Amino acid sequence: MSEHRRRSPNSGGGEQPPGPPSGQRPYAYGTPPDGAPSYDTPGRPTPRRAGGQSGSRATAQQPRMTRAEMRKAAQKGGRKGDGGGAGKGPGKGGRGDGAKPPGKKRFIDYPRWGKSGVRRWLPSWKQLLTIFLLFFGGGVAAVGTAYAMTSVPQLKDIAPAQNNIYYWADGSEMTRTGQSNRQIVQIADINKSAQDAVIAAENETFRSDNGIDPKGIARAVYNMASGQATQGGSTITQQYVKNAYLSQDQTVTRKLKEFFITLKLNQQVSKDTILEGYLNTSWFGRNSNGIQAAAHAYYGVEAKDLNPCQSAMLAGLLKGAGYYDPSLSAANHTRMFGTPSDPASGRWEWILSKMVKIKAITQDQMDQCTKAGLPEPIKQQPASNLNGQVGYIVDTVNKYIEGKDPSITEAALGHGGYRIHTTLQKDKVDMLSKAVDEMAQKNLDPAKRPNNDNFVQVGAASVVPGDGALVAIYGGPGIDKGQYSNNADTTGVPVGSTFKPYVLATAMQDGVLTQTGPDGKPMRINEDSRYNADDLSTIRKPDGSLVIDTTTGKPFKQKNDESGPQGYVTLRQAMIQSFNVPFVQLGEDVGGPNVAKLANQMGLSMSAMPTSNQSTAAFAIGTSTPSAIQMASGYSVFAARGQQAPMYPVTKVEFNGKALPSFTKAAPKQVLDQAVADNITSVLQDVVQSGTGTKAKAVGRPVAGKTGTTDKGTSAWFDGYTPQLATAVTMFREDASHPGLLSLIGTGGKSSFYGGDLPTEIWASYMKNAVAGMPVTDFPTPQAVNTEVDSSGAPSTASPSASASASDSASATAAPTTQAPTAAPTTQAPTTKGPGGGPETCLPGVDCTSPPATSTKTPGGGSSTGSSCIPLFDCPSGTPTPTATKTKPGGGGGSSTATPTGAGTAAATP
């Protein structure tokens, strides 16, 4: 711009430049914009003149600024935050929050300068993009570095052979197991059918996939990061890598390392090499690592000589040999080969069909396998270090370890490297084994009674009450004798009447559904509550309706072991004599699911008490199939006065010298009131003293227990305890080659077979020695508990009214009865109405065909019957209505007397 335009023609205050036209901003004619410094506007700062003076007009010494200069000045002023204009809010470039601007431009503009409110704290898109690029680049660099540094293991270095060492409770070594049978062979020496069977079973896309299952990896990483159960690799390549790095260290870092190895393997080696490594490092059971060892262990042949039928069976073991090895148990056999009527349900035939699908074999070849018969494995050659009970102990301990820590799989244990400290006491294990052997020598003679004394099985277990330690088991004669299934931990053997204490405990702890207590909850009853015990009695649901037999469509009638009428008896007496009818009705009154819930809290697994069984009337008398270990654990709760301590056979597990954290003993918890547990113990003491378990008195100290026998004698039990030790013993017959329970009737030359016979003898013989060094301790004196709640039709007593299943007719009030029917075995409660208003079968003295009987109490709370009459119905005029008094020595039951006022007495002598 020329000099004459920049300077005023009259520096001394002459003529001023013309102002802006009307309606236009002065900025167009040289006036600075808003926010720019002004040199001629009143009230605004002016530049200093020479000598420090200031003026309001430009002079020759202080020229006016051009518009470009003023624009720059305005921008600088805005950045400096000088207010931008008097009286105005935050403008462009201003923060508006009163904060002073930084002295110089920041490297990271955060919080963002020039923004207010939330925007000041929100990163700009440039900042977000920068952050993303930094993290992405860093991640790529980290992955690349990790990938480059990860080496692929050599097959010979994978999973070096190690032993597992098991210790007795006193610290002495029990045995050693582990990877002792491993033989590496080349892929050319593995039959093609074996290769194809494994691919069909585990990863049918193996030949074409990239070796990675992203979903499976993401799921496994998430599970480990969140502390959930880990999962194995989904592809054969991933499983091979997992085999290479089997260890207890289940971490995200290790999983990522496996991921990188999988990627490298898939890029660097052929599929045949990967398959060769997988087949040589996989666990097949029978102490066999690799296909070559498995071929020898199961079929006695080389891997190259396996046929498609055998190959499919071996491939089926990869999901878990302990679960599928058909030689271990009948259940395993069914899982592998299906049933005769449905072989397609087995894993073996499923794998053959998959082999047809991937065109590994033809349909004709599959048909040849199914028609030729099942490829049953050869007899297992037991390891010499697992003879006797040691093999069963190792089996029990391994199952417990796998259940407590899912990362320790059967394959991991097969590879070895663990030091396992158990609770098993060698002396007690020997005592239990000796008791079984002595019983067999004394009573069993297979040569003399081949149809009765063959295939007799015994299982037993001992648990410390209040602690949960498993101190002894008997699983069978030994795997060296050909007995591979562990009878101490077997399932499928019904427990019979030994289940009745759980039903009584539920009624006493949770109450019956037929009557509501003052608190609005089911009424909690006691062992003096009286129930009908007549043989072949009908059973009613809590709503009063009859239980219907689904096979006949007619009312269900429960049978006792003894025929004939028994009248109304206390639950104590019903337990002593092991009557079925009272407990089946009690089971309906409390509800099967409630019984199962409490039994589960006491130590029985829900899998042993399937939901389908819980709704049946027979559930209360032992259709469930818990193991001897579980039953010993459950009964230990009674001995521990209601405290449940989870069973445990392991105190410590170490891997590579480091103790693993999953094996800390759980603290006991109270699942039963002390008074409830003590009263049930009192009842079970009476079972031993005067009931079906009298042979247990041979222990020579206070004991409590219950016998159990199932229908047709297919199993017999005795479960009992002292204050220091709880033990369960079961007997059954089963031919391993023909799964299914056989009758025990005739075993040992006995025409009938009960839990009170040989099982109780084994229990008493063992317990007498096992507790010999322990102080003789009595059980606590039980305190009175709950209320007597009699079932429908029970003779009137001085106790609170009967349950809701009792009659609501006048006979429950105006005409209380004192008798129970005697002659007619199907006679029901003597009331005109059943629970819920439904009709009963008959009313004694009115429409029953047989004379009634007077119910009297026997020692222990039982009853006897005698001919009498029903007041207000057939008693002579003037006969008084009876009243009743109760006595309960020690609060645990005892006797009761029914005393008619003014005439005659019907009494029970203690």
Side-chain angles (χ1 to χ4, degrees):
M1 184 177 290
S2 62
E3 187 68 14
H4 73 276
R5 293 189 63 185
R6 295 182 59 196
R7 297 182 178 178
S8 169
N10 186 358
S11 61
E15 185 179 352
Q16 300 298 316
S22 176
Q24 295 187 17
R25 292 176 59 87
Y27 173 73
Y29 288 84
T31 304
D34 289 346
S38 174
Y39 297 97
D40 53 7
T41 303
R44 295 196 179 183
T46 58
R48 290 192 174 275
R49 297 175 180 174
Q53 297 179 352
S54 62
S56 61
R57 303 237 356 142
T59 64
Q61 289 76 23
Q62 183 65 49
R64 287 178 61 87
M65 298 176 67
T66 67
R67 281 177 293 180
E69 290 172 332
M70 286 188 290
R71 196 159 44 244
K72 292 180 180 179
Q75 292 173 351
K76 291 181 180 179
R79 285 195 297 268
K80 293 180 180 179
D82 60 359
K88 295 185 179 181
K92 183 177 181 180
R95 289 173 57 177
D97 57 3
K100 294 183 179 181
K104 60 180 181 178
K105 186 176 182 181
R106 294 178 295 175
F107 179 72
I108 300 178
D109 184 21
Y110 192 83
R112 296 171 64 193
W113 170 253
K115 303 295 181 183
S116 61
V118 176
R119 295 180 62 194
R120 184 167 180 254
W121 301 98
L122 292 176
S124 67
W125 68 269
K126 292 181 180 180
Q127 290 172 331
L128 291 174
L129 179 60
T130 301
I131 292 172
F132 171 76
L133 291 175
L134 287 174
F135 274 93
F136 180 77
V140 170
V143 169
T145 302
Y147 180 81
M149 296 180 64
T150 301
S151 59
V152 177
Q154 297 299 313
L155 181 58
K156 62 183 179 63
D157 299 326
I158 291 175
Q162 301 180 77
N163 284 321
N164 295 322
I165 306 177
Y166 296 79
Y167 299 92
W168 293 104
D170 62 4
S172 61
E173 185 174 316
M174 180 191 303
T175 190
R176 296 185 178 219
T177 67
Q179 187 167 282
S180 58
N181 184 18
R182 178 181 172 194
Q183 304 165 43
I184 296 176
V185 291
Q186 302 299 314
I187 191 70
D189 293 325
I190 302 174
N191 193 280
K192 186 65 164 55
S193 69
Q195 301 176 38
D196 292 334
V198 170
I199 291 173
E202 298 294 308
N203 181 195
E204 63 182 85
T205 62
F206 168 72
R207 295 288 183 185
S208 58
D209 65 29
N210 60 8
I212 292 292
D213 177 13
K215 291 183 180 180
I217 290 177
R219 183 172 58 249
V221 171
Y222 173 79
N223 287 347
M224 284 187 290
S226 59
Q228 300 181 44
T230 58
Q231 294 177 326
S234 299
T235 69
I236 284 178
T237 308
Q238 287 175 259
Q239 292 182 57
Y240 169 44
V241 173
K242 181 176 175 63
N243 290 347
Y245 282 87
L246 266 175
S247 72
Q248 173 59 28
D249 187 21
Q250 294 283 349
T251 63
V252 174
T253 301
R254 200 210 70 172
K255 201 68 184 176
L256 290 174
K257 189 173 184 180
E258 290 181 359
F259 173 77
F260 294 136
I261 294 175
T262 301
L263 289 177
K264 277 196 169 183
L265 273 176
N266 203 63
Q267 293 177 1
Q268 295 180 4
V269 302
S270 67
K271 290 289 188 179
D272 279 347
T273 302
I274 294 172
L275 185 59
E276 176 184 302
Y278 176 65
L279 290 173
N280 277 292
T281 57
S282 292
W283 174 256
F284 289 87
R286 291 199 177 187
N287 201 32
S288 302
N289 282 283
I291 189 70
Q292 175 76 350
H296 278 289
Y298 286 93
Y299 292 112
V301 299
E302 300 286 314
K304 63 183 177 60
D305 297 324
L306 290 168
N307 62 45
C309 312
Q310 297 167 335
S311 296
M313 202 290 292
L314 292 180
L317 299 173
L318 292 173
K319 284 295 183 185
Y323 193 71
Y324 285 106
D325 182 353
S327 64
L328 293 181
S329 68
N332 279 19
H333 196 277
T334 299
R335 283 189 283 266
M336 176 58 77
F337 294 126
T339 61
S341 60
D342 185 20
S345 64
R347 183 164 174 78
W348 176 67
E349 193 160 318
W350 176 82
I351 292 175
L352 287 174
S353 66
K354 294 279 284 186
M355 293 174 72
V356 173
K357 178 182 176 182
I358 66 173
K359 295 181 171 47
I361 61 175
T362 65
Q363 183 64 49
D364 288 341
Q365 288 176 300
M366 176 179 173
D367 293 341
Q368 289 175 12
C369 284
T370 56
K371 291 176 181 178
L374 304 176
E376 299 284 1
I378 62 175
K379 184 177 180 181
Q380 182 175 352
Q381 299 301 314
S384 59
N385 58 339
L386 295 177
N387 290 344
Q389 300 308 305
V390 172
Y392 305 124
I393 292 173
V394 169
D395 173 73
T396 301
V397 167
N398 286 354
K399 286 182 179 178
Y400 175 82
I401 291 174
E402 293 170 30
K404 288 288 288 185
D405 189 341
S407 67
I408 306 179
T409 63
E410 179 188 9
L413 289 169
H415 281 75
Y418 295 88
R419 292 177 178 267
I420 301 165
H421 300 261
T422 78
T423 60
L424 279 298
Q425 299 177 16
K426 189 177 187 305
D427 58 342
K428 287 185 174 58
V429 172
D430 292 341
M431 292 173 188
L432 187 52
S433 183
K434 180 180 179 182
V436 175
D437 291 343
E438 289 177 346
M439 179 281 301
Q441 293 174 6
K442 179 181 177 182
N443 296 279
L444 303 182
D445 189 345
K448 182 179 180 180
R449 293 180 292 271
N451 295 328
N452 301 107
D453 290 2
N454 271 317
F455 314 122
V456 176
Q457 306 284 344
V458 176
S462 279
V463 171
V464 177
D467 181 85
L470 180 69
V471 296
I473 65 170
Y474 181 84
I479 59 176
D480 53 312
K481 304 291 179 59
Q483 173 70 43
Y484 294 99
S485 59
N486 182 359
N487 291 340
D489 197 30
T490 191
T491 57
V493 181
V495 294
S497 293
T498 56
F499 195 73
K500 291 175 182 175
Y502 299 111
V503 181
L504 179 58
T506 307
M508 296 176 71
Q509 182 71 26
D510 299 330
V512 292
L513 304 175
T514 52
Q515 180 160 316
T516 302
D519 57 358
K521 298 179 180 179
M523 180 76 79
R524 297 175 64 179
I525 72 175
N526 62 28
E527 73 280 6
D528 285 333
S529 301
R530 294 176 298 165
Y531 272 68
N532 177 31
D534 288 339
D535 188 35
L536 293 175
S537 291
T538 55
I539 305 298
R540 293 186 179 273
K541 299 178 181 179
D543 64 3
S545 62
L546 289 169
V547 174
I548 302 301
D549 189 330
T550 57
T551 59
T552 64
K554 298 179 180 179
F556 171 78
K557 295 181 180 181
Q558 179 58 52
K559 181 174 177 55
N560 289 324
D561 187 64
E562 296 179 1
S563 61
Q566 303 295 334
Y568 280 80
V569 301
T570 65
L571 293 174
R572 175 185 292 272
Q573 188 64 24
M575 187 79 76
I576 292 172
Q577 300 299 332
S578 203
F579 293 142
N580 290 332
V581 172
F583 281 98
V584 171
Q585 183 60 65
L586 182 62
E588 289 292 324
D589 289 352
V590 298
N594 293 328
V595 177
K597 180 180 177 182
L598 182 62
N600 177 245
Q601 293 173 347
M602 294 176 66
L604 276 62
S605 69
M606 291 303 295
S607 62
M609 302 177 289
T611 304
S612 58
N613 280 4
Q614 296 172 21
S615 60
T616 64
F619 178 69
I621 55 175
T623 58
S624 301
T625 58
S627 67
I629 293 176
Q630 292 178 30
M631 289 298 284
S633 179
Y635 270 58
S636 73
V637 175
F638 300 133
R641 308 190 71 189
Q643 280 201 331
Q644 194 271 341
M647 186 283 300
Y648 69 101
V650 172
T651 57
K652 183 169 63 174
V653 176
E654 298 174 293
F655 186 76
N656 289 337
K658 179 182 178 182
L660 304 181
S662 302
F663 300 94
T664 303
K665 181 177 70 172
K669 57 191 175 195
Q670 198 80 26
V671 297
L672 289 178
D673 293 347
Q674 277 193 3
V676 170
D678 291 346
N679 275 273
I680 289 179
T681 292
S682 173
V683 172
L684 298 185
Q685 282 184 279
D686 285 350
V687 171
V688 173
Q689 292 301 315
S690 58
T692 59
T694 54
K695 288 187 176 181
K697 291 193 290 184
V699 176
R701 60 173 66 204
V703 298
K706 182 69 185 78
T707 59
T709 310
T710 56
D711 189 30
K712 299 180 181 179
T714 53
S715 64
W717 291 73
F718 186 82
D719 302 344
Y721 52 92
T722 68
Q724 303 99 330
L725 194 63
T727 300
V729 177
T730 180
M731 285 186 67
F732 57 97
R733 291 181 65 226
E734 183 176 37
D735 181 357
S737 61
H738 296 86
L741 296 180
L742 305 172
S743 177
L744 285 165
I745 296 175
T747 299
K750 299 179 181 295
S751 58
S752 59
F753 201 96
Y754 298 99
D757 291 328
L758 301 186
T760 307
E761 289 182 16
I762 294 172
W763 187 92
S765 175
Y766 160 70
M767 288 290 285
K768 184 175 183 179
N769 293 318
V771 299
M774 303 176 186
V776 177
T777 306
D778 205 345
F779 294 103
T781 300
Q783 301 300 312
V785 64
N786 300 339
T787 307
E788 177 183 335
V789 180
D790 297 338
S791 72
S792 171
S796 178
T797 69
S799 65
S801 60
S803 69
S805 64
S807 168
D808 58 357
S809 68
S811 63
T813 54
T817 59
T818 57
Q819 301 92 354
T822 57
T826 58
T827 298
Q828 300 301 302
T831 58
T832 57
K833 287 187 178 180
E840 292 287 344
T841 302
C842 66
L843 184 68
V846 179
D847 57 358
C848 288
T849 57
S850 60
T854 301
S855 175
T856 61
K857 294 289 180 73
T858 61
S863 68
S864 62
T865 58
S867 179
S868 184
C869 63
I870 300 178
L872 304 183
F873 283 93
D874 60 353
C875 288
S877 176
T879 301
T881 300
T883 60
T885 60
K886 284 277 183 182
T887 61
K888 187 186 292 185
S895 65
S896 66
T897 60
T899 308
T901 304
T905 300
T909 304

